Amino acid sequence: MTDFLSALEQWPLSVWVRESASLWAFPTFLVAHTLGMAIVAGLSAITSLVLLGAWPDMPVKPLEKLYPVMWVGFWINAVTGVILLVADATTRLTNPDFYVKMVFVFTGVYLLRLTRKQVFADPQLDQGPLPSRAKTLAWASLVCWFGAIVAGRLLAYVGPMSDLGNK
């Protein structure tokens, strides 16, 4: 397995991202990854807070229009995350915290889909009180995105260390 991870790190793109002094290399991918997370986690948090009653007079149904934007944020994260991952594969893929982060991310994505299907698909959504399931999904989503962000930040501080980004 170590040979495979080392081979990933030797791809020209991986070497460039990891070793280039250019702002277009590691810093750009890291900033894009941060922006993608801000989009998906931030809009998901707004949606969750509305479902939890933070803005009681706000209609919920129009928030469904945020889902395509959340997916753009997710795909920005997916692409930049894979690039950052292969640039430092031997460190990241041997760090248990990485897998904790991925559990939170995939669960958060699952909850986005489930919330859209079980809450936003209801044509009577703004006609009465929200189903209690909406609040449960909202809390779970907040926990997942918070967990993904914290675990992602901790990657720089726990487990095996690399010098990626410390140039």
Side-chain angles (χ1 to χ4, degrees):
M1 183 63 140
T2 305
D3 291 339
F4 174 71
L5 299 179
S6 294
L8 288 177
E9 289 181 350
Q10 296 313 309
W11 286 355
L13 178 63
S14 300
V15 172
W16 177 73
V17 167
R18 184 179 59 251
E19 297 177 11
S20 175
S22 170
L23 286 176
W24 295 109
F26 180 77
T28 296
F29 286 99
L30 188 61
V31 166
H33 195 68
T34 302
L35 289 174
M37 181 56 71
I39 292 167
V40 70
L43 294 178
S44 177
I46 289 169
T47 302
S48 294
L49 290 171
V50 169
L51 292 175
L52 291 169
W55 296 280
D57 296 331
M58 182 175 180
V60 176
K61 187 68 173 168
L63 293 174
E64 188 172 19
K65 293 176 183 173
L66 296 177
Y67 275 85
V69 181
M70 284 189 259
W71 287 115
V72 168
F74 170 77
W75 285 111
I76 290 170
N77 257 38
V79 170
T80 58
V82 167
I83 291 169
L84 291 168
L85 176 67
V86 297
D88 195 24
T90 56
T91 302
R92 299 293 180 235
L93 291 172
T94 58
N95 188 337
D97 183 53
F98 173 77
Y99 298 99
V100 170
K101 174 186 172 179
M102 290 296 96
V103 166
F104 280 125
V105 168
F106 288 123
T107 305
V109 168
Y110 172 75
L111 290 168
L112 282 175
R113 294 176 55 103
L114 195 60
T115 301
R116 191 168 193 189
K117 183 179 179 181
Q118 292 187 357
V119 177
F120 286 95
D122 180 1
Q124 304 298 317
L125 182 59
D126 287 323
Q127 306 305 319
L130 290 171
S132 62
R133 177 97 171 122
K135 292 183 188 275
T136 302
L137 291 168
W139 277 115
S141 181
L142 286 170
V143 167
C144 283
W145 292 117
F146 179 78
I149 291 167
V150 170
R153 271 314 301 139
L154 288 176
L155 277 171
Y157 304 103
V158 299
M161 299 292 171
S162 74
D163 63 353
L164 183 60
N166 295 325
K167 301 212 181 294

